[in-house]
Amino acid sequence: MLALGVDVGGTFTDLLLADLGSERVTIHKTPSTPSNPALGVVEGITGICALAGVKPAEIEMLFHGTTVGTNAMLTHSGAVTGMITNAGFRDILHIGRHQRPQHYSIIQDLPWQSRPMIRRRHRLTVNGRLDASGQELEPLDEVAVAEAARKLGEAGVEAVLVGFLFSYVNPAHERRAAEIVRGVLPDVFVTTSSEVAPQFREFERFTTAAMSAFIGPKVRRYIAELEDRMRGLGITAELHVMTSSGGLATPTMIAEKPAATLLSGLVAGVRAGAWIGRHSGTDRLITLDIGGTSADIGIIQDGRLAEADARSASIAGFPVMLPMIDIHTIGAGGGSIAHIDAGGAFRVGPQSAGADPGPAAYGRGGTCPTVTDANVVLGRLVPERFLGGRMALDRAASEAVIATLAAELGRGPEETAEGALTVLNSNMANAIRSRTVQKGIDPRDFTLAGFGGAGPLHAAEVAGMLGIRSVLIPRHPGITSATGLLTADLEYHVLRTAFAVKGAIDVDRLNGLFDDMEAELANLFEGDGVQPARRKLLREGDLRYVGQGYELKIDLPAGLLDEAALEGVWQAFHDRHRAEYGHAFTDSPIEIVTVKARGIGEVEKLDRPPRPPERAAPRPVGRGRCVFRVNDVLGEYDIPHYEREELGVDQPLEGPAIVLQIDTTTVVPPGWSFVQDAAGNLMLTLIDAA
C-alpha cells in the first residue's frame, strides 16, 4: 500500500512516499508556492512519483500538513468576518479579560484590540437570552437575525460567527440563528461558538470561534482545490489533514472546524519525534525543529506529546480553546540576522533574511550577516556540498558581511561568528528551559531531537548548554514533519461542560455525558468507515479546586464511573497539582469543570523506519577547517567530513566531525561521539557520559 505524506512549509513542500508493505521509502522536496499552495503540492506529488517510478493513481493514502490557516493568522490575511451576538455584548471580543499577557506593561500590544479579526462595524447584536443553566429568558429575535445577516452581506463579509452567551450549555439559539444566516447568505462561511468550542469563558470561546470564521473560507477553498487537483492526477485516495491535536481529520471535518489546522505542520514534526524516539529506545524527548526563520520546541514525556493548557494556548497572540499540542516557537533560524540593537546589545533575530534574498551565502544579493553566514565562516557548512551539491554557497560573501559586523563590534570575524551562534543557541536553550525547568521538568532526563534544515547544525551545542547528554538526529531531518504525517491516526474530540463538585456529584448525569459523547464519536467514525475494532476511546476531565481560575487536565477511567473510581481521579488531580505548582490542597473541594472524550480511529501507517544498508567502516569524503569554542578557548580543528548515506549501523565515531546529507548538515562538536542506530537515526553522545 502506497502512502504519501505532504507537509507544506513557507519555503519548501516536503514529501515522503512509503510502501507500507515493505521498507521502500522515497523522499522529495520542492519549492512551495505561497500564492497557491495546492500548485506546489501537485508539483511535489508529480515529482516524487517520478522518482519512485509509480503513478499518482497508485497512491492509496494521502496525509497532509498545511500552514494555510496558520499563515492567515500570522499575517492577518483572513476573511472579512462578521459576528451576530447578544444585545449588550458587542464588545466582548475587544474588551477581553482583566488579565493581560504582560501584567505590568502599559504599552503592551493586545492583538484583539490592535488587529481585531472582526471589526466593530461588523459585530451586530440581536435580542434573545439564555441563563447560566441554558433556560430561555428571552426568545431569539429571528427577524433581527435575518436583518443582521442582510446588513453583513451588504458589507461584503465572507464569513459570519454566531456567538451567544451560555451556548455551551444550550446551543439552540445559536443553531437557529446560524440556520437563518445560511438561508440569507448561502455563499458565506457560517459557524457558531458552540460548534467550535462549547466551553465556558465567553471571551476565549468567541475568540476561538472568530478564528475559525476568519480562516475558514481560505482553508475551505484550499482543501477543495487540493482535492480537485488530486482527482486531476488520478488520485482517488481520501485526503487526511493533520490537526493541532496531533491526529488526522477528514476534509469534511476540516471544512466544519478549520481552526483545527492551526498547528498542522508543526505538530506533525513533534509527532514524528515521538515515533522516531520510540524506535530508538527513548520515550522522553525534547524536539527542536529549526528552519530558516523560526525554531519550534515540543516536549514528549513517556511517549506522550505535551498538550497546551488553557492558560498558554494561543495563535498570533489570540487565546485558543481547542485541543493543541504544546509547541513553543521563537524567532531563531538559519536566516536570523545578527545585529547591534539601538541600546548597543549584540542580538541574533528575530528578524530574518528569509528565503529571498536570504543569507549573503545564497548569492542572491543578501547583505545582512545571518546565522547561515556565521556557520560558513566557522567551517560548519561546506559550501561545495550544500543541499548535496545542488547549491553552492558563496563563502566570500559570508566572510564579507561577518567582517563588517565584526568591525562594528571591535572583534575578529571568527569570534563574531561564533558569538552569533552562541547567542542564537542560548536563545533556544532559554526557550527550552521555559518549557521544562519552569514547569518542574529536568531537561537532563531527556534526549534532544534536532531536525529541520538547521536543527542538526545546532542541536549538540544547545544540548550542552542544557546539560543534555544525548542528541538524536533523524535519518531525514529536513522532511521530519512529512514522516510524522504517516505515523498518525484519525482523532476527534468532543466535550461537555459538567460543573460537578466533589461530594455533590450526580454520577448518573456524569455517565450520561460520556455516553452521549462516545455515541457522537461513534457516529463520526461510522461516517469515516472506521470499524469498531479499530477505534479507541479515551476520557479526560478539566479539574480545579473550587475557586481557582484555571484547570488541569486529568485522565479519567473508562467504563461506568462510581464513587470508588472518582476517588482515584481526586488523588490524580492532587498529584498533578503538586507536580505543576509544588503544592496540593488535599482538604479542599475539587470541581470537574469539563469532561472530554477523545476518539482515535486507527488507519494504516508507517510501522517502523527502514533499516539502513550494511556498510563497511566509513571513510571521510573530505576534511576541512572548523572553529569551535572549547573550555572558553576559540580554536581551529582539522575535521573529517562524512557522508550520511555511507554510515553503517553501530559503527561509533568520535567528533569533532561533520556529517553531510542532502537536506541538512550535522555538526558533531569536540567531546561528542556519534553512531547510526538500527532505526537509521544518528545518536550523538557526550563522550564522558558513555
Side-chain angles (χ1 to χ4, degrees):
M1 176 180 288
L2 285 179
L4 177 65
V6 184
D7 177 60
V8 179
T11 304
F12 289 102
T13 294
D14 303 329
L15 303 97
L16 185 144
L17 182 66
D19 184 347
L20 300 183
S22 70
E23 293 191 350
R24 183 184 177 193
V25 170
T26 305
I27 66 170
H28 183 51
K29 294 175 78 75
T30 188
S32 295
T33 51
S35 60
N36 187 350
L39 295 177
V41 173
V42 170
E43 291 174 7
I45 293 174
T46 303
I48 198 168
C49 287
L51 288 173
V54 300
K55 297 178 181 179
E58 296 178 54
I59 296 172
E60 298 176 72
M61 304 182 74
L62 201 156
F63 306 111
H64 183 38
T66 174
T67 56
V68 169
T70 312
N71 291 339
M73 285 300 303
L74 295 176
T75 61
H76 202 69
S77 58
V80 178
T81 306
M83 180 180 186
I84 299 175
T85 189
N86 299 97
F89 291 87
R90 182 183 187 185
D91 293 320
I92 283 179
L93 284 177
H94 178 84
I95 295 170
R97 293 192 172 275
H98 71 280
Q99 293 171 311
R100 294 293 188 260
Q102 297 170 300
H103 291 299
Y104 304 107
S105 172
I106 60 174
I107 59 171
Q108 64 183 293
D109 175 50
L110 300 176
W112 51 89
Q113 294 180 359
S114 63
R115 48 186 184 279
M117 290 178 284
I118 305 178
R119 308 290 296 182
R120 192 172 194 270
R121 59 180 172 269
H122 295 149
R123 301 197 300 264
L124 306 182
T125 62
V126 297
N127 290 326
R129 189 71 180 269
L130 303 175
D131 67 13
S133 64
Q135 298 299 310
E136 185 175 83
L137 296 176
E138 181 182 7
L140 178 67
D141 188 340
E142 297 187 3
V143 174
V145 172
E147 180 60 25
R150 280 190 288 271
K151 288 181 179 178
L152 291 173
E154 292 168 359
V157 301
E158 304 166 83
V160 174
L161 161 64
V162 178
F164 294 144
L165 298 180
F166 305 115
S167 63
Y168 62 89
V169 181
N170 180 359
H173 279 190
E174 281 194 356
R175 289 175 179 172
R176 177 55 186 149
E179 183 182 2
I180 294 169
V181 175
R182 291 187 179 106
V184 176
L185 304 172
D187 297 325
V188 166
F189 180 89
V190 181
T191 191
T192 69
S193 73
S194 56
E195 289 174 341
V196 177
Q199 301 181 64
F200 84 117
R201 295 193 176 103
E202 64 277 1
F203 169 60
E204 289 83 356
R205 174 162 48 92
F206 287 178
T207 298
T208 303
M211 241 180 253
S212 198
F214 187 64
I215 69 173
K218 183 171 284 191
V219 172
R220 180 179 283 184
R221 284 194 299 269
Y222 168 67
I223 295 297
E225 180 178 355
L226 182 56
E227 285 193 295
D228 286 344
R229 291 184 179 275
M230 285 169 49
R231 303 297 175 252
L233 291 175
I235 299 174
T236 59
E238 184 175 25
L239 178 69
H240 290 90
V241 182
M242 177 66 73
T243 68
S244 301
S245 67
L248 300 168
T250 62
T252 300
M253 182 64 69
I254 295 302
E256 293 174 359
K257 299 181 179 180
T261 66
L262 284 169
L263 291 180
S264 180
L266 303 183
V267 169
V270 181
R271 174 169 283 284
W275 182 79
I276 291 166
R278 183 168 66 251
H279 287 284
S280 287
T282 178
D283 60 2
R284 297 172 68 83
L285 294 103
I286 298 168
T287 62
L288 181 61
D289 182 356
I290 310 175
T293 301
S294 64
D296 305 309
I297 298 159
I299 308 297
I300 299 162
Q301 294 192 75
D302 302 323
R304 297 183 60 176
L305 283 61
E307 298 181 14
D309 56 43
R311 293 161 297 169
S312 59
S314 66
I315 295 289
F318 293 90
V320 185
M321 292 182 75
L322 290 174
M324 296 174 63
I325 299 304
D326 188 8
I327 296 177
H328 184 52
T329 300
I330 65 169
S336 294
I337 297 172
H339 63 284
I340 302 171
D341 69 11
F346 183 30
R347 298 188 180 276
V348 181
Q351 300 89 347
S352 174
D356 187 14
Y362 283 9
R364 297 173 183 165
T367 58
C368 296
T370 68
V371 170
T372 295
D373 296 308
N375 275 310
V376 170
V377 168
L378 296 176
R380 302 186 186 190
L381 282 173
V382 183
E384 302 78 20
R385 299 296 301 273
F386 191 66
L387 292 181
R390 297 181 185 179
M391 175 181 175
L393 298 178
D394 188 337
R395 187 192 303 272
S398 292
E399 291 173 345
V401 294
I402 294 295
T404 300
L405 178 63
E408 293 182 52
L409 290 169
R411 304 281 183 175
E414 291 177 353
E415 186 179 11
T416 299
E418 195 276 334
L421 298 192
T422 298
V423 171
L424 183 89
N425 292 339
S426 296
N427 291 342
M428 292 187 285
N430 287 335
I432 291 172
R433 289 188 185 99
S434 74
R435 316 312 288 178
T436 54
V437 176
Q438 293 181 19
K439 292 177 177 288
I441 299 170
D442 190 341
R444 296 173 297 183
D445 296 334
F446 289 71
T447 294
L448 182 67
F451 49 87
L457 276 163
H458 300 269
E461 290 188 333
V462 172
M465 291 178 174
L466 294 164
I468 296 174
R469 296 179 170 272
S470 60
V471 171
L472 181 155
I473 308 297
R475 189 171 186 178
H476 304 296
I479 51 97
T480 300
S481 290
T483 304
L485 293 167
L486 296 184
T487 69
D489 291 308
L490 287 173
E491 185 172 313
Y492 298 136
H493 298 251
V494 293
L495 57 88
R496 301 285 189 272
T497 297
F499 286 130
V501 179
K502 178 183 177 183
I505 289 182
D506 183 342
V507 178
D508 290 337
R509 173 176 173 265
L510 206 58
N511 283 311
L513 291 176
F514 277 114
D515 289 342
D516 289 344
M517 290 188 291
E518 290 170 2
E520 183 178 337
L521 289 171
N523 288 333
L524 290 172
F525 286 133
E526 284 290 336
D528 293 336
V530 180
Q531 298 301 312
R534 299 182 70 87
R535 303 173 194 168
K536 182 163 57 173
L537 298 177
L538 303 174
R539 295 178 173 185
E540 300 166 333
D542 290 339
L543 280 68
R544 65 184 181 185
Y545 292 117
V546 172
Q548 281 188 320
Y550 289 97
E551 301 79 47
L552 294 174
K553 184 180 294 183
I554 303 297
D555 291 335
L556 300 182
L560 196 67
L561 291 175
D562 54 23
E563 293 297 337
L566 289 175
E567 282 301 320
V569 172
W570 310 138
Q571 186 58 51
F573 174 75
H574 289 312
D575 294 342
R576 173 73 195 281
H577 195 281
R578 185 177 291 106
E580 187 79 10
Y581 300 111
H583 59 271
F585 303 105
T586 54
D587 295 328
S588 296
I590 300 172
E591 182 177 31
I592 301 177
V593 176
T594 307
V595 289
K596 304 177 179 181
R598 177 190 309 214
I600 298 173
E602 295 181 356
V603 300
E604 295 294 329
K605 51 186 176 289
L606 205 59
D607 179 44
R608 56 188 175 85
R611 182 181 174 88
E614 295 296 331
R615 304 285 191 188
R619 295 176 178 273
V621 295
R623 301 189 69 87
R625 166 188 162 278
C626 198
V627 177
F628 293 98
R629 184 178 295 276
V630 179
N631 296 325
D632 206 31
V633 176
L634 202 63
E636 291 187 8
Y637 296 79
D638 179 44
I639 68 171
H641 300 166
Y642 293 95
E643 186 67 51
R644 179 80 178 258
E645 288 298 318
E646 298 302 318
L647 297 181
V649 175
D650 297 331
Q651 296 177 349
L653 298 163
E654 289 191 8
I658 285 176
V659 182
L660 305 166
Q661 62 187 101
I662 189 170
D663 53 345
T664 193
T665 296
T666 301
V667 172
V668 184
W672 290 76
S673 64
F674 63 103
V675 64
Q676 182 166 240
D677 66 15
N681 300 312
L682 206 59
M683 304 298 299
L684 280 60
T685 307
L686 270 176
I687 292 174
D688 64 355

